Amino acid sequence: MTRPPTAAQRRVIDAADPVTGRLRGTEAQLAALVKRGLAFRHPRPPHDHFLTPEGHRVRQGVMQVPEPAAEAPATAGVFAARVGGEEAPPETGPARRREVHSAWQGLLELRRMTNPDGAVERPCGWERTHLVQAAALALEAAGHDPAGRDDGGYRVRETRQPEAVAVYEPDGEALRTCAATLEGAGWQVSEHSEPRTGTRYLLASPRRA
């Protein structure tokens, strides 16, 4: 089940600064938005509150908000980038492209607000704790095709290495294009081959400097 924000919460979201996403409201309203994943409290003084990427999408009317029910998965109803090979991938089309664009712009804003120097060309803390989703969002936002259940396209997968994901793409030229996209999005990328199969893949890590 999903439900929209309350009228008071919606007024706070709609009144957010259109560029920075900075919020103004009562402590109770801001705390409620944080609890629902629509806002975050900046770690540095004066500890202002800002819209998260999900909050930006709600403000733009792209999506509804998940009901924070104990029996529902934490990701229910929340935007998720295509990692490739999903059993039930979301529908493609203009609505999906708008969602992806909004999510990428929200992530850039999150970088600007949470990186100590305000840099948008370098991944932020959220990306380091959501490696697969962050890399997949960079690829999908750049227009790369995610893999279906059985066809070609990119696949982003976890690895045993800290702060690193693997990106697979059967087409060699497309794999190199994925590498260029991730490098442009602030990731360190190297190309490798699996010892047993010879399958080429990328190892990508968020750049720190």
Side-chain angles (χ1 to χ4, degrees):
M1 296 292 291
T2 61
R3 63 179 174 82
T6 65
Q9 290 172 346
R10 185 74 212 203
R11 285 194 294 272
V12 173
I13 292 172
D14 290 342
D17 186 285
V19 177
T20 66
R22 181 180 295 177
L23 295 163
R24 290 285 182 264
T26 67
E27 286 298 321
Q29 289 171 336
L30 297 175
L33 292 175
V34 170
K35 184 176 181 180
R36 298 185 67 178
L38 302 178
F40 69 95
R41 184 174 183 266
H42 200 284
R44 298 197 304 271
H47 302 297
D48 286 333
H49 288 72
F50 298 85
L51 291 175
T52 61
E54 287 83 2
H56 279 284
R57 289 193 291 277
V58 170
R59 187 174 188 270
Q60 295 167 9
V62 174
M63 61 174 287
Q64 287 186 314
V65 189
E67 173 78 28
E71 66 274 11
T75 57
V78 178
F79 171 86
R82 290 287 311 276
V83 300
E86 292 90 345
E87 287 292 324
E91 294 183 4
T92 59
R96 177 64 184 181
R97 289 193 292 271
R98 286 194 298 270
E99 281 190 330
V100 173
H101 175 76
S102 178
W104 178 248
Q105 293 302 312
L107 182 57
L108 293 180
E109 182 63 19
L110 197 60
R111 288 182 177 187
R112 191 178 77 82
M113 296 309 304
T114 60
N115 280 334
D117 57 357
V120 298
E121 68 275 3
R122 189 176 68 253
C124 61
W126 181 89
E127 291 167 272
R128 298 180 192 284
T129 58
H130 299 77
L131 294 169
V132 172
Q133 281 294 317
L137 177 55
L139 292 172
E140 189 176 2
H144 295 276
D145 293 323
R149 293 182 61 181
D150 302 308
D151 56 1
Y154 71 78
R155 296 172 186 262
V156 185
R157 297 294 183 263
E158 294 180 346
T159 72
R160 294 183 179 180
Q161 298 192 36
E163 287 203 359
V165 295
V167 179
Y168 295 89
E169 164 59 76
D171 182 270
E173 183 59 33
L175 184 66
R176 288 186 286 274
T177 304
C178 287
T181 292
L182 289 171
E183 288 171 348
W187 293 65
Q188 291 179 317
V189 183
S190 55
E191 189 171 334
H192 304 267
S193 293
E194 292 184 346
R196 294 183 179 180
T197 64
T199 300
R200 303 293 292 175
Y201 69 95
L202 304 175
L203 197 63
S205 301
R207 196 174 67 240
R208 288 190 175 276

mmCIF file of all heavy atoms in Angstrom, residues 27-43:
data_model
loop_
_atom_site.group_PDB
_atom_site.id
_atom_site.type_symbol
_atom_site.label_atom_id
_atom_site.label_comp_id
_atom_site.label_asym_id
_atom_site.label_seq_id
_atom_site.Cartn_x
_atom_site.Cartn_y
_atom_site.Cartn_z
ATOM 1 N N GLU A 27 9.807 20.863 13.657
ATOM 2 C CA GLU A 27 10.669 19.710 13.920
ATOM 3 C C GLU A 27 9.911 18.402 13.683
ATOM 4 O O GLU A 27 10.471 17.431 13.174
ATOM 5 C CB GLU A 27 11.199 19.766 15.356
ATOM 6 C CG GLU A 27 12.275 20.816 15.576
ATOM 7 C CD GLU A 27 13.509 20.551 14.728
ATOM 8 O OE1 GLU A 27 13.895 19.370 14.583
ATOM 9 O OE2 GLU A 27 14.076 21.519 14.205
ATOM 10 N N ALA A 28 8.636 18.382 14.059
ATOM 11 C CA ALA A 28 7.833 17.171 13.874
ATOM 12 C C ALA A 28 7.641 16.859 12.393
ATOM 13 O O ALA A 28 7.736 15.696 11.965
ATOM 14 C CB ALA A 28 6.473 17.331 14.558
ATOM 15 N N GLN A 29 7.360 17.898 11.591
ATOM 16 C CA GLN A 29 7.180 17.687 10.154
ATOM 17 C C GLN A 29 8.467 17.194 9.503
ATOM 18 O O GLN A 29 8.455 16.249 8.704
ATOM 19 C CB GLN A 29 6.734 18.994 9.498
ATOM 20 C CG GLN A 29 5.311 19.405 9.837
ATOM 21 C CD GLN A 29 4.993 20.802 9.348
ATOM 22 O OE1 GLN A 29 5.883 21.639 9.163
ATOM 23 N NE2 GLN A 29 3.709 21.068 9.142
ATOM 24 N N LEU A 30 9.580 17.815 9.854
ATOM 25 C CA LEU A 30 10.858 17.429 9.250
ATOM 26 C C LEU A 30 11.252 16.020 9.676
ATOM 27 O O LEU A 30 11.744 15.233 8.859
ATOM 28 C CB LEU A 30 11.940 18.437 9.646
ATOM 29 C CG LEU A 30 11.712 19.869 9.143
ATOM 30 C CD1 LEU A 30 12.765 20.804 9.699
ATOM 31 C CD2 LEU A 30 11.718 19.916 7.616
ATOM 32 N N ALA A 31 11.026 15.705 10.948
ATOM 33 C CA ALA A 31 11.348 14.361 11.435
ATOM 34 C C ALA A 31 10.505 13.308 10.711
ATOM 35 O O ALA A 31 10.996 12.216 10.401
ATOM 36 C CB ALA A 31 11.135 14.279 12.940
ATOM 37 N N ALA A 32 9.249 13.629 10.457
ATOM 38 C CA ALA A 32 8.376 12.687 9.755
ATOM 39 C C ALA A 32 8.853 12.461 8.322
ATOM 40 O O ALA A 32 8.812 11.334 7.811
ATOM 41 C CB ALA A 32 6.940 13.207 9.767
ATOM 42 N N LEU A 33 9.321 13.523 7.658
ATOM 43 C CA LEU A 33 9.820 13.387 6.298
ATOM 44 C C LEU A 33 11.103 12.560 6.273
ATOM 45 O O LEU A 33 11.323 11.761 5.360
ATOM 46 C CB LEU A 33 10.057 14.767 5.680
ATOM 47 C CG LEU A 33 8.795 15.592 5.400
ATOM 48 C CD1 LEU A 33 9.170 16.980 4.892
ATOM 49 C CD2 LEU A 33 7.901 14.879 4.389
ATOM 50 N N VAL A 34 11.953 12.755 7.278
ATOM 51 C CA VAL A 34 13.179 11.949 7.378
ATOM 52 C C VAL A 34 12.816 10.485 7.570
ATOM 53 O O VAL A 34 13.396 9.594 6.931
ATOM 54 C CB VAL A 34 14.063 12.450 8.542
ATOM 55 C CG1 VAL A 34 15.211 11.473 8.807
ATOM 56 C CG2 VAL A 34 14.622 13.839 8.226
ATOM 57 N N LYS A 35 11.853 10.214 8.426
ATOM 58 C CA LYS A 35 11.447 8.834 8.713
ATOM 59 C C LYS A 35 10.928 8.145 7.466
ATOM 60 O O LYS A 35 11.136 6.938 7.275
ATOM 61 C CB LYS A 35 10.374 8.834 9.807
ATOM 62 C CG LYS A 35 9.952 7.437 10.248
ATOM 63 C CD LYS A 35 8.959 7.504 11.392
ATOM 64 C CE LYS A 35 8.551 6.101 11.848
ATOM 65 N NZ LYS A 35 7.574 6.163 12.960
ATOM 66 N N ARG A 36 10.290 8.891 6.593
ATOM 67 C CA ARG A 36 9.733 8.309 5.378
ATOM 68 C C ARG A 36 10.737 8.291 4.236
ATOM 69 O O ARG A 36 10.413 7.868 3.129
ATOM 70 C CB ARG A 36 8.482 9.091 4.960
ATOM 71 C CG ARG A 36 7.362 9.031 5.986
ATOM 72 C CD ARG A 36 6.103 9.705 5.482
ATOM 73 N NE ARG A 36 5.512 8.987 4.364
ATOM 74 C CZ ARG A 36 4.378 9.352 3.775
ATOM 75 N NH1 ARG A 36 3.728 10.414 4.215
ATOM 76 N NH2 ARG A 36 3.903 8.662 2.757
ATOM 77 N N GLY A 37 11.965 8.778 4.476
ATOM 78 C CA GLY A 37 12.993 8.753 3.450
ATOM 79 C C GLY A 37 12.878 9.863 2.430
ATOM 80 O O GLY A 37 13.505 9.819 1.367
ATOM 81 N N LEU A 38 12.105 10.899 2.738
ATOM 82 C CA LEU A 38 11.914 12.012 1.816
ATOM 83 C C LEU A 38 12.838 13.179 2.115
ATOM 84 O O LEU A 38 12.943 14.116 1.310
ATOM 85 C CB LEU A 38 10.463 12.491 1.861
ATOM 86 C CG LEU A 38 9.409 11.424 1.527
ATOM 87 C CD1 LEU A 38 8.020 11.998 1.657
ATOM 88 C CD2 LEU A 38 9.645 10.875 0.132
ATOM 89 N N ALA A 39 13.503 13.160 3.240
ATOM 90 C CA ALA A 39 14.400 14.245 3.632
ATOM 91 C C ALA A 39 15.559 13.664 4.431
ATOM 92 O O ALA A 39 15.483 12.541 4.931
ATOM 93 C CB ALA A 39 13.655 15.294 4.463
ATOM 94 N N PHE A 40 16.639 14.428 4.512
ATOM 95 C CA PHE A 40 17.752 14.052 5.376
ATOM 96 C C PHE A 40 18.235 15.289 6.119
ATOM 97 O O PHE A 40 18.079 16.421 5.644
ATOM 98 C CB PHE A 40 18.904 13.420 4.582
ATOM 99 C CG PHE A 40 19.645 14.387 3.676
ATOM 100 C CD1 PHE A 40 20.803 15.023 4.102
ATOM 101 C CD2 PHE A 40 19.192 14.637 2.388
ATOM 102 C CE1 PHE A 40 21.493 15.890 3.272
ATOM 103 C CE2 PHE A 40 19.869 15.512 1.548
ATOM 104 C CZ PHE A 40 21.019 16.139 1.995
ATOM 105 N N ARG A 41 18.794 15.059 7.287
ATOM 106 C CA ARG A 41 19.337 16.139 8.117
ATOM 107 C C ARG A 41 20.814 16.269 7.835
ATOM 108 O O ARG A 41 21.569 15.312 7.954
ATOM 109 C CB ARG A 41 19.085 15.836 9.600
ATOM 110 C CG ARG A 41 19.523 16.948 10.561
ATOM 111 C CD ARG A 41 19.072 16.580 11.975
ATOM 112 N NE ARG A 41 19.380 17.619 12.954
ATOM 113 C CZ ARG A 41 20.481 17.628 13.704
ATOM 114 N NH1 ARG A 41 21.383 16.657 13.580
ATOM 115 N NH2 ARG A 41 20.696 18.597 14.576
ATOM 116 N N HIS A 42 21.236 17.458 7.428
ATOM 117 C CA HIS A 42 22.638 17.657 7.073
ATOM 118 C C HIS A 42 23.510 17.455 8.309
ATOM 119 O O HIS A 42 23.193 17.955 9.400
ATOM 120 C CB HIS A 42 22.850 19.065 6.505
ATOM 121 C CG HIS A 42 24.102 19.177 5.693
ATOM 122 N ND1 HIS A 42 25.338 19.250 6.261
ATOM 123 C CD2 HIS A 42 24.297 19.203 4.351
ATOM 124 C CE1 HIS A 42 26.257 19.337 5.310
ATOM 125 N NE2 HIS A 42 25.643 19.299 4.138
ATOM 126 N N PRO A 43 24.624 16.706 8.156
ATOM 127 C CA PRO A 43 25.451 16.408 9.332
ATOM 128 C C PRO A 43 26.217 17.600 9.884
ATOM 129 O O PRO A 43 26.667 17.561 11.022
ATOM 130 C CB PRO A 43 26.416 15.337 8.807
ATOM 131 C CG PRO A 43 26.466 15.562 7.326
ATOM 132 C CD PRO A 43 25.097 16.025 6.947
#
